[in-house]
Amino acid sequence: MGQQLRTAREAKGLTTDDVAKAIKLSLRQVKSLEADDWPNLPCNTIIRGFVRNYARLLGLDSDQLMGVLDRLTMPQPHELGIPTGPPVNLQKDGKADRRDYFRVFAGLFVLLLAVSAYFLVSQDVWDSALSAIKSATQSPVAVPAPVVAPGTVENKAPESGQAATTTAVPVQESTSLPSAQPAPTAEPSPSSDSGLHFGFTQPAWVEVRDRHGSVIFSQLCQANSQRDIEGSPPYTLVIGNSSHVTLKYQGKVVDLSMRSKDDVARLTLE
């Protein structure tokens, strides 16, 4: 299964670092997933969440990968057991038995270990584990295949000492789009002031639909890049990792702060 994830990632031109940033995992965890190195990953529930997020990013069938995981022997969560014993019996002279002191010190030692783990383990590890558990308990959501509409322009960030250039990317129009309505007949091309201008500081997923409900742009955009998209407003947008995306429409900056807890913004522009 790890080979399948690695092959799909390389086909999309992504590095392991790009994947780690997009699905909020550490670089070591991404490499362990691709190497089928399950002992170096958390328990089965968290691994399923990691794989489901990875599959969504790459556009793979997450249900098929879940079936593969069910046939593998996965690591189980460690259970922290507190030793129990008979009721404490005090001696007749009022002195506590030595075994009672041992139980008290053992309980304090376990508590100290738990507190130390809480403060020593980084917040990113806790966030990744909680995000994976949440994803594993949610129903799978199909991720549409990347579609780039004609007229889309990608502006790569200029390297040091070079002038910025704008290059048009010719792409053939997809023959079939999921849940797309029939394309309208002869229609005048939209004016330049109706276009969308995106800027990305980190990898982010963007989907844009025009007034007919047709997907005119759907793609994972690279970090430090820009996108200009032309179509027929009003536009319906879904923007993942939106805290690292800037958007201008009709020359004005669009506020993307009203986004969901998973950093996805959904909005309509008239």
Side-chain angles (χ1 to χ4, degrees):
M1 185 185 68
Q3 178 64 35
Q4 183 178 358
L5 294 174
R6 181 167 57 254
T7 301
R9 171 181 60 77
E10 292 173 350
K12 289 184 174 291
L14 299 176
T15 64
T16 53
D17 189 61
D18 293 335
V19 174
K21 292 179 180 179
I23 62 178
K24 300 185 184 303
L25 295 181
S26 66
L27 186 60
R28 178 187 63 81
Q29 290 171 331
V30 174
K31 291 182 178 179
S32 296
L33 287 174
E34 294 188 351
D36 294 329
D37 189 8
W38 311 121
N40 284 332
L41 293 169
C43 65
N44 184 27
T45 301
I46 296 178
I47 291 175
R48 290 173 67 88
F50 287 169
V51 173
R52 191 181 298 279
N53 287 343
Y54 205 161
R56 290 177 182 174
L57 177 65
L58 300 177
L60 299 177
D61 185 358
S62 59
D63 290 338
Q64 185 267 334
L65 295 179
M66 293 299 102
V68 174
L69 286 177
D70 291 338
R71 295 191 293 270
L72 298 176
T73 301
M74 308 298 293
Q76 298 299 320
H78 299 287
E79 296 182 358
L80 180 62
I82 300 178
T84 59
V88 178
N89 295 321
L90 298 178
Q91 297 180 355
K92 294 182 178 180
D93 57 2
K95 295 183 179 180
D97 189 78
R98 292 183 178 179
R99 291 177 297 179
D100 299 332
Y101 289 115
F102 174 78
R103 296 188 186 99
V104 172
F105 288 126
L108 292 175
F109 180 73
V110 172
L111 178 61
L112 179 61
L113 286 180
V115 173
S116 300
Y118 177 80
F119 286 102
L120 293 179
V121 176
S122 65
Q123 187 64 33
D124 291 340
V125 175
W126 292 113
D127 292 341
S128 299
L130 292 175
S131 177
I133 294 174
K134 178 181 177 182
S135 299
T137 56
Q138 292 178 344
S139 59
V141 178
V143 179
V147 177
V148 180
T152 301
V153 178
E154 179 176 4
N155 298 325
K156 291 290 184 180
E159 298 180 355
S160 177
Q162 295 182 355
T165 58
T166 302
T167 305
V169 181
V171 180
Q172 292 184 352
E173 189 172 1
S174 175
T175 57
S176 63
L177 298 175
S179 68
Q181 299 180 0
T185 56
E187 179 175 307
S189 59
S191 59
S192 59
D193 62 354
S194 64
L196 303 171
H197 178 78
F198 290 90
F200 306 93
T201 58
Q202 288 190 11
W205 182 271
V206 175
E207 179 183 280
V208 181
R209 294 176 180 265
D210 62 9
R211 65 178 181 179
H212 304 288
S214 300
V215 177
I216 61 174
F217 182 82
S218 180
Q219 185 173 327
L220 176 66
C221 302
Q222 300 297 323
N224 300 322
S225 65
Q226 298 179 358
R227 291 283 184 175
D228 293 328
I229 301 172
E230 297 288 344
S232 300
Y235 301 105
T236 302
L237 296 83
V238 178
I239 305 172
N241 204 16
S242 60
S243 59
H244 300 282
V245 179
T246 58
L247 171 60
K248 289 185 178 180
Y249 178 53
Q250 296 182 349
K252 297 181 180 179
V253 177
V254 179
D255 183 13
L256 300 180
S257 60
M258 300 298 293
R259 53 184 179 269
S260 61
K261 293 183 179 179
D262 53 359
D263 204 14
V264 176
R266 295 176 173 84
L267 64 155
T268 299
L269 298 177
E270 298 293 338

